[in-house]
Amino acid sequence: MQISTSGLVLRQVKVGEADQILTILTPDRGVLSASARGSLRLKSKLFSGCGLFCYSEFTLTTGRASNFVDAAAVKKVFHGLGRSVEGMALAAYLAEALTVLSPEPPEAETLLRLTLNSLYMISEGKRPLPLIKAIFEMRAMSLSGYMPRILACDRCGKYDGGAFYLDTSGGTLLCAGCAAQQNRSPNLDAGALYALRHICLSEDGKLFAFNLSAASTEHLGKVAERYFLTNLDHTLKSLDFLHTVLA
């Protein structure tokens, strides 16, 4: 059966001299693998559309055991990703995370949109990379059904004022006073808490529409990564390298 779908190339595995197996995130079929025969040849009609992090319109032949790329027309290329090792490392981390998440429709569509927007922000240098990383992590978890309970302190109902503690295992929020009663130290300052609420609750079009101080970004980044990895329950090889270049 032949189908048409848009998709973002998350991974390439070379097979032989000119073939490759692609991992593609699609809005209507989730994450799938497809063989792109001859796509590594410069003169191949598949060469441009099958590049890593290319967002393309694909024509696929699907079968019981395998899929094949018949055509690939580029819709968006994030040229700026290659300008820095840090940008490419973050893009690789997002791609590996999505491969592990392996979302199904309808979550696949919203996660694809999040990823495309994140890659655009990385490519164009619109926001600091640590902030983009934290936004992706918390938004991806929220879209996947793991949104933390962040509206108020889980014990006393306090909404704001001072530092708070997010339990990255249970997903509950505690004010500084209630956290101290449980021998916990706050891990979110006021700016990081505001950003966390914005990331989890804002509309797609406003997701990246805020700025954050370096200190608050550091607080948010640590909490977001811990929360993401806890709920993902999987180690990511790309994260080790990302830490070395973003340190």
Side-chain angles (χ1 to χ4, degrees):
M1 180 176 69
Q2 194 173 67
I3 64 168
S4 293
T5 184
S6 57
L8 175 68
V9 178
L10 300 178
R11 187 168 181 248
Q12 301 166 301
V13 176
K14 184 179 179 182
V15 180
E17 291 297 318
D19 302 344
Q20 56 183 339
I21 303 296
L22 306 180
T23 301
I24 308 169
L25 173 60
T26 70
D28 50 353
R29 293 177 177 266
V31 176
L32 55 82
S33 294
S35 176
R37 293 172 174 170
S39 58
L40 292 176
R41 295 191 180 96
L42 291 176
K43 293 184 179 180
S44 171
K45 63 180 181 180
L46 301 179
F47 181 81
S48 297
C50 292
L52 186 62
F53 305 127
C54 279
Y55 179 50
S56 302
E57 186 70 26
F58 291 96
T59 301
L60 306 173
T61 295
T62 62
R64 288 184 179 181
S66 56
N67 306 305
F68 298 91
V69 180
D70 299 323
V74 175
K75 298 180 71 172
K76 176 67 177 178
V77 177
F78 301 96
H79 295 289
L81 292 180
R83 292 176 188 153
S84 72
V85 173
E86 295 86 350
M88 281 298 294
L90 179 53
Y93 171 65
L94 305 190
E96 186 181 3
L98 287 163
T99 302
V100 173
L101 277 171
S102 192
E104 298 289 339
E107 289 82 9
E109 182 176 5
T110 54
L111 280 167
L112 173 60
R113 187 160 56 246
L114 168 65
T115 308
L116 292 173
N117 289 335
S118 299
L119 292 177
Y120 170 77
M121 290 289 169
I122 298 170
S123 178
E124 299 300 318
K126 294 291 186 179
R127 291 292 183 273
L129 297 183
L131 181 58
I132 297 173
K133 175 178 175 288
I135 291 173
F136 175 87
E137 289 167 335
M138 293 308 305
R139 187 68 163 201
M141 283 295 99
S142 297
L143 294 174
S144 299
Y146 299 99
M147 183 186 295
R149 299 191 294 276
I150 53 173
L151 292 181
C153 175
D154 197 57
R155 296 190 66 186
C156 72
K158 183 178 180 180
Y159 176 78
D160 58 11
F164 277 71
Y165 170 78
L166 180 69
D167 181 353
T168 54
S169 296
T172 55
L173 190 69
L174 296 175
C175 68
C178 291
Q181 294 176 16
Q182 297 187 11
N183 297 317
R184 303 288 187 180
S185 298
N187 53 14
L188 295 169
D189 62 11
L193 177 59
Y194 168 83
L196 180 62
R197 287 171 173 156
H198 178 90
I199 292 165
C200 293
L201 302 172
S202 66
E203 301 173 0
D204 282 350
K206 298 179 180 179
L207 178 59
F208 291 90
F210 70 95
N211 295 305
L212 196 61
S213 70
S216 293
T217 298
E218 184 175 359
H219 286 299
L220 176 65
K222 291 178 180 178
V223 170
E225 182 180 298
R226 195 173 302 119
Y227 188 78
F228 185 73
L229 294 178
T230 298
N231 286 282
L232 191 65
D233 194 25
H234 197 285
T235 58
L236 300 174
K237 293 181 180 179
S238 57
L239 183 58
D240 294 332
F241 179 68
L242 180 60
H243 280 160
T244 66
V245 296
L246 283 186

